[in-house]
Amino acid sequence: MTHSALRWRKLAGALALAVLGACAPRGPRVPTVPVVVIRDTVTSPTRPPRDTVSIPATPTADTAAFPEALLAPRVRVGLVVDTARIEITSAGAFSVLTDAGQEIASLGAGATATFTDAGGTITLASRTGASGGGPGGAGLRAPLVVRPAEQHGTLSVKGQAYRGELVVQDAPRGGLTVVNRLDMETYLLGVVPREIGNVQADVFEAVKAQAVAARTYAAIYMGRRSAQGFDVYATVEDQVYGGQAAEYALASRAVRETAGEIITYNGEPITAYYHSTCAGQTAAIHEVWNNAPIPYLVAVRDVDPRTGEAYDKVSSRFRWTERWTHDQLVGILNRTMADSLRGRRITRIHDMRVLERTASDRIRAMRLATDAGTFTLGKDRIRWILTPASRAGILNSSKFDVRLVREGGRVTEIVAEGGGWGHGIGMCQVGAMGRARAGQDYRTILRAYYPGTQIIDRY
């Protein structure tokens, strides 16, 4: 059987399951369909078009129109980690169950379930809408599952609505952790918009590239954070996940049209790092972090050969300037370099000078001379040391020049003039948009940023 025939046979089975599920009464959750991994086949550009399956214009978790969601693995997203108390509510009815499926409480639309850590057990209380199974109680054992009554219902945590179900479980160091458990494809509906932004149709191929990169990133992280009880954080620690509120039609369509696709190298999923702006040149992983070289995470010249201009030239961070007064930077360094200073205090900066650059023009080593000693800074860590005085966060990138302003021989101001936003490894998101505008499809874009890789259908 050909790969294309196998794929459409799987989708036909998934559609049949969806139709049966729509007719069946709400009952115990059916186990997830096992994932079929195709490791030895490269997806052909001539495979049957995905639009033979009806794709609705508005975002929805309707598996009849999105059958790959039935085949996708389940992702556990850490929404709230290690908290003493958490409230969960819903616009529709919902239930609280044990992990074995025994109902503890049935709550109506608009009700709030409050979970409180009680030193090894959980206390559950509810406000309004309680019926059937009762309002809960004390001495409950984690994990507890919170599930909407309707198949496509949502649950809200801290005012944010999420698809799937929520699991309230013990945090490794005490307290409670709330995990959103849902299929990979539905998870991506809330990731792609937060990572690529709300963009227009002219960069649709870049949005598809983002969807494949984000799916690949999540696939490689499945199980890596099991000690914490989930797979990925919902923040920049992994991928930003905004739940249902983040969704919009163009991004949802990109997820659906690439459903199941991941990037591989030698048949295995890659670590698909990506960033906002590379300023015309991405970075190799070993230039930025203390990692061994990786064949597909290398420096890539990101310039349109037809115009000689960088694909990401429209980024607001393509070129940037950051300034500090002498005293501002002294205060920052005493905080960000506390581990290196070991109780000493900087009161005077004498000099700052770039000693060595990487092949992608990022700083490999910088000499910082102060009255508390001389230090060598470099690689991506420099962004956490030279934090901006004008805003919260870290320095835009490690691709910059430094200039000192002196009066009477003493440093009075430090100016960094640079380009790019992020670590610079892997796909450049604004560059991908430029490539899309130049007519490149998402496969071409991904091959450019991850050389030597292949895209396969994983399910």
Side-chain angles (χ1 to χ4, degrees):
M1 182 180 292
T2 66
H3 175 50
S4 294
L6 175 62
R7 173 178 177 78
W8 290 101
R9 181 174 175 178
K10 288 191 296 177
L11 292 188
L15 282 167
L17 285 173
V19 171
L20 289 172
C23 299
R26 184 73 172 171
R29 182 172 292 272
V30 178
T32 304
V33 179
V35 176
V36 179
V37 181
I38 309 297
R39 294 190 181 277
D40 57 353
T41 306
V42 180
T43 305
S44 168
T46 60
R47 69 179 182 192
R50 292 185 187 273
D51 58 10
T52 56
V53 176
S54 175
I55 303 298
T58 55
T60 173
D62 185 355
T63 51
F66 195 11
E68 291 92 344
L70 289 173
L71 302 174
R74 297 177 90 188
V75 181
R76 300 170 301 164
V77 188
L79 300 180
V80 181
V81 179
D82 193 6
T83 184
R85 180 177 179 273
I86 193 71
E87 292 184 347
I88 297 175
T89 187
S90 176
F94 64 104
S95 299
V96 181
L97 308 96
T98 67
D99 200 37
Q102 180 182 358
E103 188 173 87
I104 296 170
S106 178
L107 299 103
T112 298
T114 301
F115 300 84
T116 305
D117 175 38
T121 63
I122 299 174
T123 297
L124 167 63
S126 64
R127 296 195 308 270
T128 73
S131 62
L140 301 173
R141 294 288 180 181
L144 299 176
V145 179
V146 187
R147 187 175 295 163
E150 297 298 323
Q151 183 179 2
H152 306 309
T154 61
L155 299 163
S156 295
V157 177
K158 295 187 174 181
Q160 183 72 58
Y162 298 95
R163 299 185 187 275
E165 61 189 17
L166 300 179
V167 181
V168 181
Q169 59 193 36
D170 292 328
R173 293 182 292 179
L176 302 175
T177 289
V178 180
V179 174
N180 187 195
R181 198 159 60 185
L182 71 172
D183 70 85
M184 173 75 82
E185 299 303 317
T186 305
Y187 161 69
L188 292 173
L189 296 179
V191 169
V192 174
R194 284 287 187 261
E195 289 292 352
I196 199 71
N198 197 334
V199 298
Q200 301 302 310
D202 64 334
V203 297
F204 181 55
E205 292 299 314
V207 185
K208 290 168 72 174
Q210 178 66 72
V212 177
R215 185 181 296 108
T216 307
Y217 184 99
I220 202 74
Y221 265 80
M222 296 290 280
R224 282 198 183 180
R225 302 191 188 279
S226 289
Q228 295 165 278
F230 52 87
D231 300 310
V232 289
Y233 283 98
T235 66
V236 291
E237 185 83 9
D238 286 313
Q239 301 185 118
V240 181
Y241 167 60
Q244 185 199 38
E247 298 173 21
Y248 70 97
L250 188 73
S252 295
R253 180 184 161 204
V255 173
R256 292 188 171 96
E257 290 192 8
T258 64
E261 293 185 354
I262 62 168
I263 314 163
T264 64
Y265 185 83
N266 287 340
E268 297 296 327
I270 72 168
T271 303
Y273 290 119
Y274 52 87
H275 60 282
S276 168
T277 304
C278 65
Q281 176 82 52
T282 72
I285 191 169
H286 57 279
E287 292 181 293
V288 178
W289 299 324
N290 294 324
N291 290 58
I294 295 178
Y296 56 82
L297 294 178
V298 295
V300 172
R301 180 171 164 79
D302 203 23
V303 173
D304 188 337
R306 301 170 304 174
T307 65
E309 295 184 319
Y311 284 112
D312 63 341
K313 64 180 182 179
V314 300
S315 172
S316 62
R317 309 284 176 95
F318 183 73
R319 293 284 181 262
W320 50 264
T321 300
E322 202 68 54
R323 299 175 182 274
W324 301 265
T325 67
H326 174 272
D327 291 347
Q328 282 176 333
L329 190 54
V330 163
I332 289 169
L333 294 175
N334 281 319
R335 173 175 51 82
T336 59
M337 293 179 57
D339 57 339
S340 299
L341 290 170
R342 299 179 182 178
R344 293 170 290 173
R345 298 284 296 176
I346 297 173
T347 61
R348 175 56 51 185
I349 296 170
H350 297 313
D351 196 21
M352 293 176 69
R353 186 169 303 176
V354 175
L355 301 178
E356 186 179 0
R357 292 189 177 275
T358 68
S360 63
D361 204 31
R362 288 160 175 83
I363 292 177
R364 188 188 302 277
M366 172 185 280
R367 178 177 177 269
L368 170 65
T370 75
D371 59 347
T374 299
F375 307 89
T376 301
L377 315 176
K379 295 197 169 182
D380 206 48
R381 186 170 182 264
I382 202 169
R383 300 170 61 209
W384 275 261
I385 292 174
L386 302 180
T387 59
S390 58
R391 57 181 174 81
I394 61 177
L395 197 62
N396 290 328
S397 76
S398 60
K399 186 176 184 176
F400 64 92
D401 295 310
V402 65
R403 176 168 54 87
L404 304 182
V405 178
R406 299 178 185 268
E407 292 182 6
R410 295 170 67 90
V411 176
T412 58
E413 186 181 26
I414 300 90
V415 182
E417 297 171 324
W421 188 11
H423 48 63
I425 302 167
M427 184 174 71
C428 172
Q429 292 166 308
V430 182
M433 295 181 203
R435 288 175 177 271
R437 292 189 184 100
Q440 296 182 21
D441 66 17
Y442 74 104
R443 291 170 175 272
T444 302
I445 292 169
L446 292 171
R447 285 195 296 266
Y449 290 117
Y450 307 107
T453 62
Q454 299 171 324
I455 298 172
I456 67 168
D457 278 327
R458 192 164 192 179
Y459 45 83

